[in-house]
Amino acid sequence: MAKPELIQSIEQLSRKVDSLMSQLSDSQDKIRELELRNAMLEKQHLNDTATILQARKDIEFLSVSHRLAASPEALVEARQKIAALIRNIDSCIRLIIED
């Protein structure tokens, strides 16, 4: 027959193992939650970076169009061409991000 001290030690170890297993499960759940949040933030960062890049290009194109325009009509035409280029760039960026 096992000694009472041995049985008590085994029961105590069993409780500690159960507690550690619970902590491990909680930690794994937290890791999964943080990995999902990280992926979401990385995607948002990519979108924000693309938006900033597009805004910088818009500024550059608009400043160039103002310098090159000889008349208001030429300015309108230049803006239309620039807008078409920007739409093309936007679609390219979207395709790159989707891949």
Side-chain angles (χ1 to χ4, degrees):
M1 179 167 218
K3 294 184 178 182
E5 299 87 27
L6 182 58
I7 293 173
Q8 201 173 33
S9 292
I10 292 172
E11 289 172 349
Q12 189 177 30
L13 284 173
S14 177
R15 286 190 298 273
K16 287 182 180 181
V17 167
D18 290 343
S19 174
L20 289 171
M21 292 299 290
S22 176
Q23 289 176 8
L24 175 62
S25 177
D26 292 345
S27 294
Q28 289 171 334
D29 290 343
K30 186 68 174 179
I31 288 170
R32 280 189 288 277
E33 175 187 322
L34 290 172
E35 285 174 341
L36 288 172
R37 187 171 195 293
N38 187 41
M40 181 186 68
L41 289 172
E42 285 177 352
K43 184 176 180 181
Q44 181 63 44
H45 174 70
L46 285 175
N47 290 337
D48 292 346
T49 300
T51 301
I52 290 169
L53 177 64
Q54 186 60 47
R56 287 180 179 158
K57 287 180 181 180
D58 290 349
I59 290 169
E60 182 181 340
F61 287 140
L62 289 173
S63 66
V64 168
S65 72
H66 279 284
R67 287 191 302 243
L68 296 177
S71 68
E73 295 82 22
L75 182 60
V76 169
E77 185 179 330
R79 284 183 178 170
Q80 290 171 343
K81 287 181 182 179
I82 289 169
L85 289 170
I86 290 170
R87 285 191 297 275
N88 190 12
I89 291 169
D90 280 339
S91 67
C92 291
I93 290 172
R94 272 187 250 114
L95 289 173
I96 290 170
I97 290 174
E98 289 174 3
D99 289 340

